[in-house]
Amino acid sequence: MSVFHSRECAAPDLAGRFPPEFYARPTLTVCRSVIGSYLVHASEKGTTAGRIVEAEAYLGPHDKGAHSFGGRPTERTRAMFGDKGHAYVFLIYGAYWCFNIVCGPAGKPQAVLIRALEPALGLDLMRARIGKPDAPAESLCRGPGKLCLTMGITKELYGEDLRGDRLFLVPGRPRRGETIARSVRLNIDYAEEYIHKPWRFFIQGNRSVSGPRRMG
DNA sequence: TGTCCGATTGGT
DNA sequence: CCAATCGGACAG
């Protein structure tokens, strides 16, 4: 809460950040735990933030849906093999950036893809970044590519330490009455048996969630 | 060097 | 359902 009073957003509250131990837990635990937490980007243009309402776990090197499948680092995936609690940012379809939190035990390149946020701060800056001054709030960060557009996340933040001052997470929990649901991950038709792993978490029924908003 | 393709999105 | 669009992965 306190972090989001406008005065404090100009100088983000360091104490609000997750401790390193948060990212040391199993990746599926981290993935479920970030639901309800906030992602904050303090950029030169201003600060934007959103409550995480949808995330997916990628459990390389065995997960056929993960970029780290096979276990060999490449130029693109280098960050996934690096320190936990840092950003793995990649470009998809030559058009959109996607943001992940690097996780996993030692030697396991894993990550949590942030798929959707409920906008919390800097909505007009978000709208300005996509050139849509009238875009409804719930659509601004609905989808991994869109949230990077509106949050101003690009390759510039590749490998960024999420405990730093630019891009960071602030703990939060789902609100009363909100339920965390899980499902298969989206758009990984090539992942064979890993297609069916229920490694997507989301706040049931939340309007900012991309794809299916309910189980079943 | 050349070819193939995607952890998406927006429009038809 | 379909195309846009381009950096990276990998084969040769």
Side-chain angles (χ1 to χ4, degrees):
Chain A
M1 337 270 118
S2 60
V3 180
F4 299 108
H5 291 304
S6 55
R7 264 174 33 139
E8 291 180 271
C9 282
D13 177 10
L14 293 176
R17 248 139 281 204
F18 279 118
E21 306 87 76
F22 176 85
Y23 301 106
R25 297 176 303 159
T27 300
L28 281 172
T29 303
V30 174
C31 189
R32 192 179 192 286
S33 301
V34 295
I35 302 296
S37 297
Y38 291 83
L39 178 65
V40 185
H41 181 203
S43 78
E44 303 207 343
K45 303 268 185 189
T47 298
T48 48
R51 193 168 70 106
I52 299 171
V53 295
E54 182 185 5
E56 289 176 349
Y58 287 85
L59 307 188
H62 301 295
D63 178 3
K64 290 176 180 169
H67 290 164
S68 56
F69 175 69
R72 299 182 318 286
T74 66
E75 185 176 347
R76 178 176 66 150
T77 62
R78 170 171 49 80
M80 277 187 83
F81 292 77
D83 294 335
K84 295 181 274 264
H86 286 236
Y88 166 48
V89 178
F90 69 92
L91 187 66
I92 183 72
Y93 286 93
Y96 303 96
W97 297 102
C98 291
F99 166 73
N100 295 248
I101 302 165
V102 174
C103 297
K108 301 283 188 182
Q110 306 186 337
V112 170
L113 171 71
I114 304 303
R115 287 197 58 90
L117 309 173
E118 184 182 83
L121 185 71
L123 276 69
D124 286 336
L125 176 54
M126 292 181 181
R127 294 186 175 102
R129 281 177 171 142
I130 57 175
K132 293 182 177 176
D134 300 321
E138 62 270 21
S139 74
L140 291 172
C141 306
R142 185 194 283 150
K146 283 171 66 179
L147 77 87
C148 283
L149 277 177
T150 54
M151 290 285 288
I153 298 172
T154 68
K155 186 139 192 148
E156 186 186 338
L157 292 166
Y158 188 91
E160 187 80 0
D161 184 344
L162 298 178
R163 286 169 291 131
D165 292 337
R166 295 211 292 173
L167 184 65
F168 55 93
L169 275 79
V170 174
R173 304 293 309 162
R175 303 189 181 114
R176 272 208 315 281
E178 287 182 338
T179 304
I180 297 180
R182 61 191 295 178
S183 76
V184 296
R185 297 170 293 177
L186 306 183
N187 305 327
I188 51 162
D189 296 345
Y190 49 83
E192 301 179 27
E193 72 269 30
Y194 286 85
I195 290 173
H196 310 292
K197 301 291 185 184
W199 294 344
R200 168 179 180 250
F201 296 84
F202 58 98
I203 292 183
Q204 179 148 314
N206 187 284
R207 306 264 299 164
S208 293
V209 169
S210 71
R213 295 182 196 145
R214 307 216 165 250
M215 288 191 284

